[in-house]
Amino acid sequence: MLTARGLFQEIIDNDEAYQLFCSIAASGEQQGGWENGRIAALVPESRRTLAPKIARHGADEDKHGRIFQALLHKRGLTRIEAPPETDYTMILEREGIGLPHGKLRGQEPLTERDIIAYLAHSRVTEQRASDQMAMLITCFGDHPEVGRAVRMIGDDEANHLAYCHEELLRLAAAGHGRTIQALLRESALAEIAVYRDVSLAVMSRMGRILRWPKAKSAALAAAIHAVYAYERLVGWRRMVSLRMPERRDALGGAPTTAVEFA
């Protein structure tokens, strides 16, 4: 029977698969760190109070990239380039979700709508990240090699999701509710399709590395398509709801470091 624990255990136990997994994760986290850093630098005057929180978000993402690189180093492995078809962040950008990198590389301040779009996109993608890390903590939170890493990253992702909820609710109360809901729905529907495609690409590469039989690869692909069908029908609604989080001002303090891990 296929289980998440069993699949990830296979990946952890194989150096080549583990190298690919950590490299893809490090690339995505560091890309997110750069994006948040640029957004923090370009926040419009009307929302300058958000800049430190956005910068904290970016610092956390950079830290996660360093953690994945440290995991590779501990195994005696080097980071490899993530295959383009597995680049979740860049594929989302090509789909028009989030802020274009061309705009982030410039010097023009962002607009208030840009900040709303950033937070709506982040609320959706951080839901995915938080859910994935919660699963990994359940399966591997006590693992001697990766347990501390997944617990640390999982706590940060929960903070990021809480921050998105809180800030979007503030903006909704300021009169941006309809814009927020439209952007959330657009982001969620695009994200679930990108997540399906990236998941298929990653599992295809893992299958070749781990020499999975065709039946196993076909079953995994069918499961990924089934998740997409559910999310496309009703599951996306969970990604667009907003509620005041238990963790208030989750990104209001100084960022933690990965020193104790690395």
Side-chain angles (χ1 to χ4, degrees), residues 4-259:
R5 181 189 293 273
L7 291 172
F8 277 100
Q9 190 65 61
E10 285 189 67
I11 291 169
I12 291 171
D13 289 343
N14 180 280
D15 280 352
E16 188 179 355
Y18 187 71
Q19 181 183 43
L20 177 62
F21 175 79
C22 289
S23 296
I24 291 171
S27 176
E29 296 287 359
Q30 290 183 339
Q31 184 64 47
W34 177 82
E35 289 177 358
N36 279 277
R38 291 302 302 150
I39 293 167
L42 299 174
V43 170
E45 283 301 320
S46 62
R47 295 294 167 186
R48 287 306 300 171
T49 55
L50 276 175
K53 296 180 180 181
I54 299 171
R56 161 75 184 275
H57 190 175
D60 284 347
E61 303 288 3
D62 282 335
K63 177 183 70 178
H64 300 167
R66 293 193 302 274
I67 288 173
F68 282 113
Q69 292 198 153
L71 288 172
L72 287 170
H73 180 73
K74 285 186 173 183
R75 183 83 65 98
L77 301 170
T78 57
R79 178 173 161 183
I80 60 175
E81 187 171 348
E85 69 272 20
T86 69
D87 195 334
Y88 172 83
T89 303
M90 292 306 297
I91 296 172
L92 278 173
E93 188 201 354
R94 288 202 299 271
E95 293 296 317
I97 302 303
L99 300 182
H101 285 187
K103 178 177 285 191
L104 296 184
R105 292 189 186 98
Q107 297 302 320
E108 286 292 318
L110 300 172
T111 66
E112 189 156 286
R113 192 182 188 283
D114 288 333
I115 296 302
I116 296 170
Y118 149 72
L119 285 168
H121 166 244
S122 295
R123 185 264 176 271
V124 170
T125 56
E126 292 298 338
Q127 182 72 61
R128 182 74 70 187
S130 186
D131 289 348
Q132 288 184 321
M133 294 313 302
M135 179 271 293
L136 286 174
I137 290 169
T138 297
C139 295
F140 297 104
D142 295 326
H143 190 278
E145 186 173 5
V146 302
R148 292 168 65 195
V150 298
R151 292 196 306 272
M152 186 181 297
I153 295 171
D155 188 61
D156 286 344
E157 299 297 5
N159 282 337
H160 299 166
L161 184 57
Y163 144 78
C164 291
H165 276 272
E166 188 171 3
E167 298 304 334
L168 283 169
L169 284 169
R170 283 203 181 101
L171 286 163
H176 298 287
R178 288 190 177 182
T179 299
I180 290 168
Q181 282 302 315
L183 287 169
L184 282 171
R185 187 178 189 278
E186 178 187 6
S187 295
L189 292 176
E191 192 279 341
I192 62 175
V194 170
Y195 180 70
R196 174 202 59 195
D197 294 344
V198 169
S199 296
L200 289 168
V202 171
M203 287 299 107
S204 176
R205 285 186 174 263
M206 291 299 178
R208 290 195 294 272
I209 291 169
L210 297 169
R211 298 184 180 181
W212 287 338
K214 288 184 179 180
K216 182 173 182 176
S217 294
L220 275 170
I224 291 168
H225 282 293
V227 169
Y228 169 74
Y230 168 76
E231 290 189 334
R232 185 67 179 80
L233 184 64
V234 293
W236 64 272
R237 297 179 187 277
R238 179 170 175 266
M239 306 175 88
V240 304
S241 62
L242 293 174
R243 64 185 184 283
M244 190 56 69
E246 293 182 9
R247 300 186 185 199
R248 303 294 294 275
D249 196 26
L251 297 187
T256 59
T257 69
V259 172

